[in-house]
Amino acid sequence: MTVWDDLVGQDRVQEQLAAAARDADALVTSVSDGKPLDQGSKMTHAWLFTGPPGSGRSTAARAFAAALQCTSPDRALGGAPGCGFCDGCHTSLIGTHADVQVIRTDLLSIGVKETRDLVRRAQLSPAVGRWQVIVMEDADRLTEGAGNVLLKAVEEPAPRTVWMLCAPSLEDVLPTIRSRCRHLTLSTPPVEAVADVLIRRDGVDPERAHAAARATQGHIGRARRLATDERARARRAAVLKVPLRIADVGGCLKAAQELIDTATDDAKQMAEEVDAKETEDLKAALGGVAGGRMPRGTAGAMKELEDKQKRRKTRTQRDSLDLALTELTGFYRDVLALQLGSKLAIANADVQDSLDRIAESSTPAQTLRRIESVIACREAMDRNVAPLLAVEAMTMALRAG
């Protein structure tokens, strides 16, 4: 198993990264041997991975990071870096390598303070590995100030530091930063490739794996969750019933409230799993005693953690709601395909009866307006409109067609 095995349906990107890893290996070897560097190297100090959600941006970055740290003896015999078995590859992939820092956020944004800490780290030489690698999975969440802080580090990198930024599109990253990165675009993986991964790596039943891959339209993470989590399947089933429950104003308002409640419950459940452990760990680190009062001077640290947990809960709720809206968009996309007689594969074949009912009782123009209303709801929430108001407006628009 190589480091590239989880990179699904991205053959072109894999070839480019593998070539860069070979040149990076030769570059490090040349430096240690005192040989001149190859000016035509495919390796560079900053990379930008873009692609739709579920395409595997962070997976590609992590695999590349592992290949850069590969210490397999086969390299001396002409083997490619990224064996997947050596200590460098293994620790990079599981997140314990001392010179591979993976940055992701559970909050709405990445601020200046966190970015400055990263920039300071980026100036250090590798401690045990061949490169100092920083993978930023949510580069699109950098604030403007944080982006300006990062720009300086990308402009003037340390000799053995590599930045890997991940974002949905080029437009999500500051122009000054993206112009200094090598850009790789990932595409949505084929449904068959996603199903194959679920069967091969997760042991999912083939029928369920294909259904999950088809329902999520090639989104690897969502497909894995749908195939392995009963709660995710129940939540999706409830979302796909919305189009049939908005026959009157009361139904619209009730459906909107239930969507919000489901997202809130998801956020609460995730918070309960993480917050309690975080709080106890911080109390122990600050010298607190179980059931006793905290030492003086620790209230600020506890308050900072509480604020972080609140912001994370807000993002989790919005992400859960956004997923529901994405599934609604997929439902109406299938309706439109039926109305137009398209040969496009139906994503939500498990609710074929509902698709047929909506397709027969409406026109393609109405379906397009309904898709636009879902998109408008997502844009409204991006502008911080109250979620309930945005969803209520959407369900009313879905009813009107």
Side-chain angles (χ1 to χ4, degrees), residues 156-185:
E156 300 175 5
R160 297 273 286 278
T161 294
V162 182
W163 288 90
M164 301 184 190
L165 311 180
C166 305
S169 69
L170 283 173
E171 288 69 28
D172 292 311
V173 181
L174 286 176
T176 47
I177 292 179
R178 69 189 187 222
S179 65
R180 290 162 175 80
C181 298
R182 184 164 298 172
H183 179 216
L184 293 177
T185 304

Side-chain angles (χ1 to χ4, degrees), residues 22 55 66 92 102 115 145 179 215 226 265 270-271 275 289 294 353 387:
R22 286 194 296 269
S55 57
S92 297
V102 179
T115 308
S179 65
L226 191 61
D265 290 343
M270 292 188 65
D275 290 0
V289 179
M294 292 294 296
D353 290 346

